[in-house]
Amino acid sequence: MARTTLTPIVLPGPWSTSAQEITWTNADTTNNNQFQATGQEILLVRNTGATAASFTVLSVPDSPYGRIGHLTHSVPAGGIVVTQLFDLVGWAQPDGYIYVDGAADLQFAVLRIQRR
């Protein structure tokens, strides 16, 4: 099955006078999730459950070192965590997406930063 694609929320630019509401998407525990990688994305993860739950962002071998190191983190009950700014090297899969797997009760929001 194909992964469920998360739609990035494009943040207002550096001189904007507006704000952007965060829209959350439930983790797809059957097919998992993905988002289109541009190198300007940050992943937010929210746990709506009563116990801790984990998610994993799958890495790929980076060039030239071949390093691989998935990002796995436990989100406390009722908590929200924010990840790093994902670079394409080491994170973008061959199809151009970043893959994220999450447990039930997790919700995702992908923020895309606009540069000048």
Side-chain angles (χ1 to χ4, degrees):
M1 285 284 197
R3 287 176 175 267
T4 299
T5 301
L6 302 168
T7 302
I9 300 164
V10 179
L11 297 179
W15 294 283
S16 176
T17 58
S18 66
Q20 181 63 46
E21 190 172 317
I22 294 176
T23 304
W24 297 95
T25 302
N26 292 330
D28 183 336
T29 59
T30 302
N31 301 313
N32 297 306
N33 296 91
Q34 66 182 9
F35 58 89
Q36 184 68 49
T38 66
Q40 301 301 312
E41 290 80 25
I42 295 171
L43 177 66
L44 298 174
V45 185
R46 175 168 73 172
N47 185 350
T48 61
T51 60
S54 294
F55 71 95
T56 299
V57 179
L58 304 176
S59 64
V60 295
D62 66 359
S63 177
Y65 308 107
R67 177 214 58 91
I68 211 164
H70 306 315
L71 183 161
T72 299
H73 191 78
S74 178
V75 184
I80 298 173
V81 299
V82 61
T83 60
Q84 64 192 23
L85 180 66
F86 286 99
D87 191 40
L88 298 177
V89 174
W91 296 107
Q93 301 293 323
D95 62 4
Y97 287 88
I98 292 178
Y99 293 172
V100 58
D101 302 345
D105 293 329
L106 293 184
Q107 296 179 323
F108 300 123
V110 178
L111 306 181
R112 181 168 289 150
I113 298 169
Q114 290 188 62
R115 303 280 179 160
R116 296 177 215 185

